[in-house]
Amino acid sequence: YAQGSCDLARPIYEKALLAREKLLGPKHPRTGQSLNNLAALEKATGELVKAEKHYRRALEIFEEVLSPEHPQTAASMNNLAVLLGKLGNRDGAQKLLQQALQIREKTLGTNHPSTANTLNNLAALLTANGNFADAMPLLKRAHQIRVDLFGNNHPLTAISLDDLADIHVGQGNHELAAPLRELALSSVLQYL
């Protein structure tokens, strides 16, 4: 899957899910992880309805077995929320991202890479909704966390810069967006 071979990965993910359901049970956290893996592949291949079903089932497992406040539950919420945003359910996506952010800040800390990921995802969703004022401070926080953890020349830092540029474009400030996009591109190129 990481190499882009979704057709080769699918049967492996499906077999892993079946094996985990059989050996560990349908409500085991490893079964939930297999559901998340399969859902990510389905999202990548455009099978969004199947992906939603698997993400939802994984989230139910994590909430029930690990707890509603567990970091893995927050990761599952984050995954489902990003998909819901793609499906046009922005209200549902925003609610899940806000929950995931609260859990991650509480359990992992305010300067954790996963916290930055959820901040970035929530800000991107708010930007897509035209809510630039609320998105900007979230993106600035995500960007600063990533700079502190990974430095300026990391792909995740570049994503935050590019998303900041999106806010400026949405506000009609193209002259502010262009240097951010250039900086994001040069960061990625230096990382490679």
Side-chain angles (χ1 to χ4, degrees):
Y1 174 66
Q3 295 174 338
S5 299
C6 293
D7 291 340
L8 296 174
R10 180 183 306 278
I12 298 168
Y13 278 151
E14 289 171 346
K15 285 179 187 176
L17 175 59
L18 289 173
R20 284 179 167 171
E21 286 176 323
K22 184 177 178 180
L23 296 171
L24 303 173
K27 300 256 182 192
H28 194 278
R30 296 277 185 182
T31 302
Q33 188 57 54
S34 286
L35 287 162
N36 260 330
N37 292 341
L38 183 57
L41 180 137
E42 290 165 341
K43 184 176 87 172
T45 59
E47 299 171 89
L48 304 184
V49 173
K50 285 183 181 179
E52 181 182 5
K53 177 184 156 194
H54 289 127
Y55 276 142
R56 284 191 185 279
R57 187 168 158 225
L59 179 56
E60 288 173 13
I61 291 169
F62 296 134
E63 286 179 323
E64 183 179 326
V65 177
L66 298 177
S67 91
E69 297 291 315
H70 194 277
Q72 184 60 48
T73 303
S76 191
M77 287 177 178
N78 186 79
N79 293 341
L80 177 58
V82 171
L83 177 70
L84 291 178
K86 288 184 181 294
L87 289 168
N89 182 353
R90 292 181 175 169
D91 290 338
Q94 184 172 341
K95 181 181 174 189
L96 281 174
L97 285 169
Q98 288 168 333
Q99 285 179 290
L101 180 59
Q102 287 176 350
I103 295 167
R104 285 182 160 173
E105 287 178 330
K106 180 180 175 183
T107 60
L108 302 174
T110 56
N111 294 316
H112 192 277
S114 295
T115 302
N117 184 45
T118 300
L119 283 164
N120 211 95
N121 289 339
L122 180 55
L125 180 69
L126 292 170
T127 300
N129 288 340
N131 189 346
F132 307 120
D134 288 339
M136 183 67 82
L138 297 176
L139 267 176
K140 286 182 177 180
R141 262 186 72 200
H143 180 256
Q144 190 59 55
I145 293 167
R146 289 171 169 173
V147 167
D148 291 347
L149 293 173
F150 308 120
N152 288 313
N153 298 325
H154 191 277
L156 291 174
T157 306
I159 288 170
S160 294
L161 284 173
D162 197 55
D163 288 347
L164 284 166
D166 287 343
I167 290 176
H168 289 305
V169 168
Q171 294 174 321
N173 297 325
H174 297 275
E175 67 283 351
L176 296 175
L180 290 173
R181 293 224 196 273
E182 290 172 14
L183 187 56
L185 180 59
S186 70
S187 294
V188 171
L189 293 175
Q190 287 180 30
Y191 185 78
L192 300 174

